[in-house]
Structures are given as structure tokens and as C-alpha cells.
Amino acid sequence: MNDKTLCMSAINAMSFSYSPYSECKVGAALLSSSGKVYTGCNIENASFSPTVCAERTAFFKAISEGERDFVKIAVAGGKNGIIDPGFTPCGVCRQVMAEFCRPDFRILIVNAENSFDEFSLAQLLPEAFKI
Ligand code: THU
């Protein structure tokens, strides 16, 4: 799966976002080393704290189906579904990535329909907590 196709899957996943409170639509597409893509969206809740981010939805779908090894993730998000190039994964999602991914895990942040910025997990979460 090439980078652009994964980014398009993340953009597509934004449409499933359940976000009546923040009105931020977020989509993620996670490629496992088995070659499967797991998509996710953010799912909010009236009680706020049960809200789950798009990235963790994608990771938890994959992990709950037996996946343990991942290649890259694409993330697209923004208020009212308008892609915000600054929409990087939150700290909790970075920590979940650190549990399952190597420091060179690739994180693609969609800028617009046809462009993305790329970071490694080590760049977004240096000195990750590990036990
Ligand atoms: N959100 C994500 O889906 N991913 C992130 O990495 C940051 C935040 C969602 C959670 C909430 O529904 C909305 O964006 C605003 O915080």
C-alpha cells in the first residue's frame, strides 16, 4: 500500500467520525506488516472522557484481530471536516504507538488531498516511557 493511498483511506475515514461536541473529524489508516489496512475515526461521548481518538480506534481494531506489527499510519483531521495540516496525534495515541511500534514507525500527517508531512515515532515521542 503506497503512502498516497493510505492517506486517501485516512481522509475517507474522517467521514465516519462521531464528533458532535468538538466538531473535529479525524480519520486514520494503519498498515500492518501483514498487509492489511485498519481504519479508524474519533468517537466522542457526552461524558467526554470515554472519547477515543481515530488513531487508537485503528490500533485497537488491529490489535484485537491479532496484529502486532505495524508499518505506518496516516492521519487526517480538522474542524468541520476541513483538513488541518497541524492535526498531529495526541500524546495518549503516541504512547499507544510506542507500545506496539518501533522508533522508526512512520506517521503520515495529511496536509491536503494530495500532500502529507512525515514523522517517525521517535520524532513525535522522544524518550518514550517503557517498562
Ligand atoms: N482526536 C483524534 O481523533 N486524534 C488525535 O490525535 C487528537 C484528537 C479527536 C478527539 C476528539 O474527538 C477531537 O479530536 C478533539 O480533540
Side-chain angles (χ1 to χ4, degrees):
M1 160 85 46
N2 70 41
D3 292 350
K4 283 212 166 133
T5 309
L6 198 69
C7 287
M8 287 311 294
S9 295
I11 292 171
N12 191 50
M14 290 171 73
S15 62
F16 301 118
S17 166
Y18 176 75
S19 44
Y21 306 105
S22 75
E23 297 179 335
C24 287
K25 290 184 186 294
V26 190
L30 172 66
L31 179 67
S32 74
S33 45
S34 71
K36 275 180 78 173
V37 174
Y38 294 85
T39 58
C41 64
N42 56 327
I43 305 166
E44 299 187 342
N45 190 278
S47 180
F48 292 177
S49 64
T51 293
V52 67
C53 293
E55 299 92 321
R56 274 177 289 146
T57 302
F59 266 94
F60 295 159
K61 280 172 69 178
I63 291 156
S64 66
E65 293 188 26
E67 302 283 3
R68 289 291 185 277
D69 199 66
F70 302 101
V71 180
K72 57 188 170 182
I73 191 169
V75 183
K79 197 107 179 152
N80 299 315
I82 298 160
I83 293 169
D84 173 354
F87 218 93
T88 58
C90 78
V92 174
C93 290
R94 294 178 199 201
Q95 185 66 34
V96 168
M97 292 176 196
E99 186 73 27
F100 294 100
C101 304
R102 289 177 290 276
D104 63 352
F105 177 69
R106 299 175 65 219
I107 300 165
L108 314 179
I109 306 297
V110 177
N111 275 329
E113 283 273 324
N114 248 319
S115 88
F116 60 89
D117 283 328
E118 175 170 346
F119 300 93
S120 67
L121 178 58
Q123 282 176 297
L124 293 191
L125 190 63
E127 308 299 334
F129 173 74
K130 288 265 171 68
I131 51 171

